[in-house]
């Protein structure tokens, strides 16, 4: 009861002090107004009106209204009707007012009631004037230009209301909104002065009240405008509104206030039209308040214009009348709009209905709405929207002692203001602000000092929106709180943000608590500056996140998952409780700088002249010194291991001002630490610095004052967290403030403590901090004579074993820590003797807690635990290098024996039993090289072919891709008698085209020659073989032999044959007679063919040594003078000598051939009148020369004999002359006459043809051209040798070396793998697989059948063996680079006899490979010689022994 009386008394005071009309009334009026005022302030709504009187009888359509028809059928008003009193029209028919007809009752308060069951129509440009118009019909139509006008025709307003203002202030009348008052009262706020008051709140859903009259400026004359009337339309079905329904207040002119708007109530099932509905206040000296409009239409197809704004004020244009109310019944929405008319006059919002709840409230277009009642609740089911400078107030500013509730789904504010005088309990789902403000004035009352704003889904502030409270403010939610950008503020003396899922503080936005420059009526939070005990709520905060004035927090963010800070958070005691993650971006800042204690435990001291020392906290404050006098700074206090104190300032004893220490920033708690803190911006709690522009109150301090304070100490940053990330631009700072320039001391540094929680250790350890920014707790710098403050402390929680430092990092590699603590000295060095040579200590997860310390090898190529390479592990597994080497050699010997036995079983023995000469009459193939074996020669019919053979024409060129075989186009003399020259040229052109290689064949050869030379040789031989086969097929089956004169040869496709030597380097075309030539001089005999050229096959290289090709035709021809066995033996001996000739060393290696011809061949052939000489023949265009024999007949010394057709002169054999060269080189070798050379005795000469070439003898041998290429040095490794015999032993040694080579290759690759996998790839693929292929090539050669095939494969093996040297060179380079690139500067001396398998012995295996390959090359040369020359008597120096074999 006492509380009710208190509230009643407060309302009486408000009415007496704020309504000027009540103060100006006389005594009688005052007594009446007092009683009315008491009633009014207890309830703004009037009592329920009495039931309306019964309606009078209905008028007649024709008699009373002058119409046509009947009210029970259709009544039409066809002419104007001026009524003088109330009219009641009732009937069961239709009622039509035709176009242009006026139906008027101009008396104020005159009532026209139409109640019909049919349709109603108001025609075009027709009008109804009355104070009260009520219509009940089935359908109604208000056509274009029609009007129902009750403007300024109001009757008396409801009793016990104060809508008409008192006095002579010319105020406007009130109804839906208060009337304006232009009275100027400096002692009152603009909104505390108004004219007529609002009424009929309880009936705004069905308004039925007249508007009120405006006030007058004269006691004698009432100039005030009348209020608006009543328009009530109840249509059961369809309503068309294209005209106007007006209930505006009357204008008061320049001397009277405008009347308030009346009431309009429209109810229909469906409404169309775009007419006008208006219940606005009238204009005047002061504008009248708007009326009340209610529309209850289920279906609206068009939107008529509805106006309920206040009238304009002529005397105060910025203060129009208060807006009326528009109630839309279907959505249950209340709209308060002042049509953008500026006003200080409010629209009252009184009690809100609960059954059912309204859905929406809209305050917009500069309307001002207020909730004046104490302990009011504004509750809607949907949205409360404030738009376009709308203002919504709660309570009275001078009596801010009430508490209000606001409940809605959404609260939307755009360019609007909410003012709360007292406390507000808001509960919405969504709260959106756009350039708006919510201002809460707690008024200093303890009972209402806390406001709570709750938005369960979303709170968004944008475009400089502000929530401001000078008391305690709690903002709660379950979704997102978003301060979008610059100018968005939430600030209060004590601010608590809680229960949000996420808080986003955008760039330029601010969260602050307490206020800056707070007024005296603000609630001031109390700081514990003089308390030495740490408040328990900082370390163990309460779980409920409530706004509690007894707690020390000034700004708390509680139970929020994620906090993103791009703006500023400021507070004296800032606390983040039960948050999950906090991210301070580069533009963000959390600061308590200069917001701590002005005094405090460590406050500074003061000299006699007023100069103060710095405050102390983490470090002592700086001393103050002036003119030789000094005073110590503030003391250091607090616990560095768990700091929770405010920074101290300069003290209160300095008249010139004071500085404050830093505040406290606490993130997390002991029980609920942060999951992660990410800082790219600033987190500061610095002490305040004294500057020259420091302000005391509002007056700046003069520079001349001598007494000036020192700097404040830094505050506290206490972080309970799990992980921390400080970016490059981050700064954590508790720096002391600077002192003044007159010698004041600087503040001491503050304290920063990282209290880590759940530090992972061991294998689950993760770095808990990434620090790239700055962390400062230094003291402030002294100025002039003032001392600098001591540095504060930066500490961390004691780290577990293996971790050290403030951020509990792993002890450095090579150290261990087996105690708990953070000092870096606790990490001890690991024992050096436990570390292998190729190992380095490593950091492991969680650090090293005990010895032995973990280490790793310097490369992945080394293997734990001894950091051996795979090769070294293999070697040391078998006892070390020496023992491993002995075991390997023994194993190789054993495997070689196994291979040799397997080879003998698989291949058989190819070696002849011994060096004994072949028995006479034995198989002749043992004496003949199998480049063309005797068996092949004997298989042909020599007599048949030799009797018809005419001439052999040799191809020019070595049959390479660059210089293929080709024939000259001019037929030689020997075949001109049997060929046609024209077709012969065609034949040569065709065969030369076939002999030419394609470009891609040469390109393929070039590529293979670079990548794998043995494959290039195989490719070349394969293409040569295909080329020879193609030539044979062409001549045998494709060519029509048109060049031959013999008809028989042309018919049988005979007479021409193409063949080549077995090395495929020398090819020739044989021409035969067809049998129908009837020439007795053909074919020529042997002596007619002399001198005869026999070119060698091959080119003197290792793969194609020189050899004399003697097929059945040559043998048959030579058998005319020389026995075949003699000729075979001579050819075999010559080929054995020619094997030893090496291109590039022709001048040296041809000399034994010349000697052999003189010592073995010519002496034996002399008995048959034949002589042979070594010669070279015509060089090709590319400079290639053929070498061969020149065979010619020999006469007795004193009996010269003419042999065949002789074209030149032949000299003595003993004095053969040097070569004579022919200029014309267009003729082929065989046709070219040989050079003539004289013998020692001019008596015996042999006539020979002239030749383009020359005889090679000892005199001109040194003049012989001998080209050398880049592969010439390899000829010292790859060359043909004489056979050595002992084939099995040679094969055994080759097998041993082959296995040793392969073993060394594997060991080398293992060694390179220990260096780098790249090295392995380089060695393997430069050249590709050249290092591995010699082994399979050697095995293939050893296990091949037949001497000829074995010799060819052995040569390929030799090529692979030499080619692999390039890979060995790459291995040398890789090893050398690796050895020189080692990080250690220690150089190991070369100790070849003390193999320790260190990195300095990298050269051993590559060097062993080189030696092995050199020995292999020589053994392969012997092996090839043993295979190709199985009769070693061919190299006998004994003439008799040679020919007897």
């Amino acid at each position: 009861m006492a509380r009710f009386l208190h509230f009643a008394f407060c309302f009486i005071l408000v009415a007496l002090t704020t309504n000027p009309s009540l103060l100006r009334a006389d005594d009688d009026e005052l007594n009446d107004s007092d009683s009315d005022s008491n009633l009014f302030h207890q309830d703004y709504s009037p009592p329920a009106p009495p039931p309306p009187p019964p309606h009078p009888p209905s008028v007649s359509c024709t008699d009373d209204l002058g119409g046509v028809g009947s009210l029970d059928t259709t009544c039409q008003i066809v002419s104007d009707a001026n009524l003088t009193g109330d009219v009641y029209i009732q009937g069961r028919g239709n009622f039509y007012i035709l176009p242009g007809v006026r139906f008027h009752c101009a008396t104020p308060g005159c009532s026209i009631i139409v109640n019909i069951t049919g349709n109603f129509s108001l025609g075009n440009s027709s009008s109804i004037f009355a104070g009260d118009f009520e219509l009940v019909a089935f359908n109604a139509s208000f056509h274009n230009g029609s009007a129902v006008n009750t403007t300024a025709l109001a009757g008396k307003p409801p009793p016990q209301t104060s809508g008409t203002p008192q006095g002579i202030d010319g105020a406007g009348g009130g109804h839906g909104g208060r009337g304006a008052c232009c009275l100027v009262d400096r002692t009152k706020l603009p909104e505390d002065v108004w004219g007529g008051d609002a009424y009929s709140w309880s009936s705004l859903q069905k308004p039925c009240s007249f508007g009120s009259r405006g006030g007058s400026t004269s006691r004698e004359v009432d100039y005030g405008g009348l209020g608006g009337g009543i328009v009530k339309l109840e249509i059961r079905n369809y309503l068309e509104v294209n005209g106007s329904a007006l209930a505006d207040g009357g204008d008061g002119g320049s001397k009277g206030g405008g009347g308030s708007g009346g009431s309009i109530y429209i109810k229909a099932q469906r409404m169309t039209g775009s007419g006008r509905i208006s219940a606005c206040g009238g204009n005047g000296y002061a504008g009248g308040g708007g009326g009340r409009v209610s529309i209850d239409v289920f279906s609206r197809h068009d939107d008529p214009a509805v106006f309920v704004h206040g009238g304009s004020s002529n005397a105060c244009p910025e203060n129009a009348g208060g807006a009326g109310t528009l109630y839309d019944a279907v959505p249950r929405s209340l709209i308060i709009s002042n049509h953008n008319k500026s006003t200080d006059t409010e629209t009252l919002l009184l009690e809100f209905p609960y059954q059912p709840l309204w859905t929406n409230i809209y305050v917009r277009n500069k309307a001002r709405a207020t909730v004046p009642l104490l302990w009011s609740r504004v509750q809607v089911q949907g949205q409360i929207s404030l738009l376009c400078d709308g203002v919504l107030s709660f309570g009275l500013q001078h009596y801010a002692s009430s508490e209000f509730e606001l409940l809605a789904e959404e609260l939307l504010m755009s360019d609007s203001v909410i003012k709360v005088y007292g406390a507000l309990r808001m509960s919405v789902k969504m709260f959106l602000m756009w350039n708006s403000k919510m201002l809460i004035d707690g008024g200093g009352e303890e009972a209402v000092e806390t406001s709570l704003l709750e938005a369960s889904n979303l709170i968004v502030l944008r475009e400089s929106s502000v929530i401001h409270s000078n008391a305690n403010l709690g903002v709660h939610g379950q979704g997102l709180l978003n301060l979008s950008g610059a100018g968005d503020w939430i600030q209060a003396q004590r601010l608590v943000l809680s229960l949000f899922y996420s808080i986003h503080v955008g760039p330029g936005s601010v969260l602050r608590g307490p206020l800056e420059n707070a007024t005296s009526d603000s609630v001031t939070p109390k700081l514990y500056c003089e308390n030495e005990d740490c408040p328990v709520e900082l370390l163990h905060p309460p779980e409920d996140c409530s706004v509690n004035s007894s707690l020390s927090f000034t700004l708390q963010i509680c139970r929020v998952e994620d906090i993103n800070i791009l703006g500023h958070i400021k507070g004296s005691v800032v606390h983040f409780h039960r948050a999950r993650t906090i991210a301070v971006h580069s533009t963000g800042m959390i600061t308590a700088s200069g917001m701590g204690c002005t005094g405090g435990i460590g406050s500074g001291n003061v000299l006699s002249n007023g100069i103060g020392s710095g405050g102390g906290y983490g470090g002592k404050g700086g001393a103050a010194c002036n003119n030789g006098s000094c005073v110590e700074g503030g003391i250091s206090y607090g616990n560095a291991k768990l700091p929770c104190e405010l920074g101290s300032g300069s003290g209160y004893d300095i008249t010139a001002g004071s500085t404050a220490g830093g505040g406290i920033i606490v993130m997390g708690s002991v029980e609920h630490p942060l999951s992660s803190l990410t800082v790219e911006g600033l987190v500061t709690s610095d002490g305040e610095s004294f500057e020259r522009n420091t302000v005391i109150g509002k007056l700046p301090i003069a520079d001349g004052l001598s007494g000036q304070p020192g700097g404040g100490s830094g505050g506290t940053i206490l972080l309970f967290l799990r992980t921390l990330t400080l970016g490059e631009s981050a700064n954590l700072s508790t720096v002391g403030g600077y002192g003044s320039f007159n010698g004041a001391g600087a503040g001491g540094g503050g304290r920063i403590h990282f209290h880590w929680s759940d530090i992972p250790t061991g294998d689950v350890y993760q770095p808990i901090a990434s620090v790239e920014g700055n962390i400062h707790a230094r003291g402030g710098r002294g100025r002039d004579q003032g001392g600098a403050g001591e540095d504060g402390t930066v500490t961390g929680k004691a780290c577990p074993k293996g971790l050290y430092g403030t951020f509990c990092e792993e002890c450095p590699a090579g150290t261990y820590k087996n105690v708990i603590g953070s000092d870096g000295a606790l990490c001890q060095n690991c024992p050096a003797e436990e570390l292998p040579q190729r190992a380095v200590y490593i950091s492991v997860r969680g650090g090293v807690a005990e010895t032995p310390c973990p280490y790793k090898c310097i490369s992945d190529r080394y293997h734990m635990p001894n950091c051996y390479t795979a090769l070294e592990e293999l070697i040391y597994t078998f006892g070390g290098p020496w023992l491993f080497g002995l075991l390997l050699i023994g194993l190789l010997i054993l495997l070689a024996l196994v291979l040799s036995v397997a080879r003998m079983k698989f291949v058989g023995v190819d070696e002849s039993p011994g060096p004994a000469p072949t028995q006479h009459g034995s198989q002749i193939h043992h004496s003949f090289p199998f480049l063309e074996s005797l068996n092949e020669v004997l298989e042909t019919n020599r007599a048949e072919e030799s009797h018809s053979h005419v001439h052999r024409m040799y191809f020019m060129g070595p049959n390479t891709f660059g210089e293929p075989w080709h024939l000259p186009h001019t037929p030689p003399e020997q075949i001109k008698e049997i060929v046609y020259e024209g077709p012969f040229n065609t034949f040569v052109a065709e065969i030369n085209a076939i002999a030419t290689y394609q470009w891609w064949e040469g390109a393929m050869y070039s590529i293979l020659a670079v990548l794998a030379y043995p494959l290039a040789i195989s490719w070349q031989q394969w293409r040569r073989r295909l080329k020879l086969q193609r030539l044979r097929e062409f001549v045998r089956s494709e060519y029509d032999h048109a060049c031959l004169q013999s008809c028989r040869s042309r018919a049988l496709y005979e007479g021409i044959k193409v063949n080549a030597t077995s090395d495929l380097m020398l090819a020739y075309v044989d021409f035969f007679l067809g049998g129908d030539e009837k020439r007795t001089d053909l074919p020529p005999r042997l002596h007619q063919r002399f001198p005869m050229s026999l070119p060698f096959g091959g080119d003197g290289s290792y793969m194609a040594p020189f050899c004399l090709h003697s097929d059945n035709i040559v043998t048959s021809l030579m058998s005319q003078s020389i026995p075949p066995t003699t000729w075979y033996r001579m050819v075999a001996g010559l080929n054995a000598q020619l094997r030893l000739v090496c291109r590039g060393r022709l001048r040296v290696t041809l000399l034994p051939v010349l000697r052999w011809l003189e010592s073995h061949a010519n002496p034996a052939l002399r008995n048959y009148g034949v002589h042979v000489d070594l010669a070279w023949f015509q060089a090709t265009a590319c400079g290639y020369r053929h070498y061969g024999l020149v065979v010619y007949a020999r006469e007795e010394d004193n009996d010269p004999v003419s042999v065949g057709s002789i074209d030149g002169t032949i000299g003595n054999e003993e004095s053969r002359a040097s070569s004579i060269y022919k200029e014309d080189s267009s003729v082929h070798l065989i046709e070219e006459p040989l050079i003539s050379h004289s013998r020692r005795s001019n008596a015996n000469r042999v006539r020979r043809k002239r030749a383009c070439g020359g005889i090679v003898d000892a005199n001109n041998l040194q003049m012989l051209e001998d080209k050398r290429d880049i592969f010439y040095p390899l000829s010292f490794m790859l060359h043909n040798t004489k056979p050595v015999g002992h084939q099995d032993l040679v094969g055994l040694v080759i097998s041993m070396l082959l296995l040793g080579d392969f073993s060394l290759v594997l060991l080398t690759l293992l060694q390179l793998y220990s260096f780098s996998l790249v090295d392995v790839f380089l060695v393997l693929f430069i050249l590709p697989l050249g290092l591995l292929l010699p082994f399979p090539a050697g095995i293939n050669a050893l296990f091949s059948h037949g001497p000829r095939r074995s010799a060819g494969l052995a040569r390929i093996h030799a090529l692979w063996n030499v080619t692999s040297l390039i890979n060995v060179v790459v291995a040398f380079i890789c090893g050398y680079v690796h050895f020189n690139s080692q990080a250690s500067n220690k150089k190991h001396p070369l100790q070849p006899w003390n193999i320790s398998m260190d990195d300095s012995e990298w050269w051993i295996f590559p060097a062993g490979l080189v030696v092995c390959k050199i020995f292999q090359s020589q053994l392969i040369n012997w092996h090839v010689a043993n295979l190709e020359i199985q009769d070693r008597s061919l190299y006998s120096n004994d003439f008799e022994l040679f020919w007897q074999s």
Side-chain angles (χ1 to χ4, degrees), residues 268-283:
Q269 187 69 21
R270 186 164 62 96
M271 182 173 71
T272 61
S274 56
R276 176 185 175 94
I277 301 172
S278 176
C280 301
N283 303 325

Side-chain angles (χ1 to χ4, degrees), residues 656-668:
S658 61
T659 56
I664 298 178
I665 299 174
V666 182
M667 298 187 186

Side-chain angles (χ1 to χ4, degrees), residues 1008-1028:
L1008 291 176
V1010 174
L1011 299 179
Y1013 185 69
L1015 294 181
I1017 295 297
S1018 300
W1019 168 263
Q1020 186 182 51
Q1021 289 300 102
W1022 179 45
R1023 303 312 299 177
R1024 283 173 172 176
R1025 196 175 298 111
L1026 292 179
K1027 190 63 65 177
L1028 177 61

Side-chain angles (χ1 to χ4, degrees), residues 539-540 640-643 667-674 717-724 752-759 768 795-798 806-808:
L539 306 180
H540 307 280
K641 295 184 178 180
L642 200 62
M667 298 187 186
S669 63
V670 176
E671 294 82 5
H672 304 287
L674 285 178
I717 297 178
L718 176 58
L719 306 177
F720 298 91
L721 70 167
R722 289 189 173 91
T723 60
L724 170 69
I752 301 176
H753 179 72
F754 301 92
H755 198 85
W756 306 109
S757 177
D758 301 330
I759 301 174
I768 57 177
T795 59
K797 183 181 178 181
T806 303
F807 306 107
C808 291

Side-chain angles (χ1 to χ4, degrees), residues 943-989:
E944 180 181 353
E945 290 190 345
S946 60
H947 291 164
S948 61
H949 183 267
V950 177
H951 182 67
R952 173 168 289 180
M953 186 175 182
Y954 286 89
F955 282 86
M956 300 177 68
N959 192 21
T960 61
F961 297 107
E963 190 174 2
W965 284 330
H966 58 279
L967 291 174
H969 288 78
T970 304
E973 294 291 337
Q974 290 84 346
I975 62 173
K976 284 185 177 180
E977 301 296 332
I978 63 172
V979 299
Y980 298 113
E981 185 170 355
F984 177 81
N985 291 334
T986 304
F987 166 71
V988 169

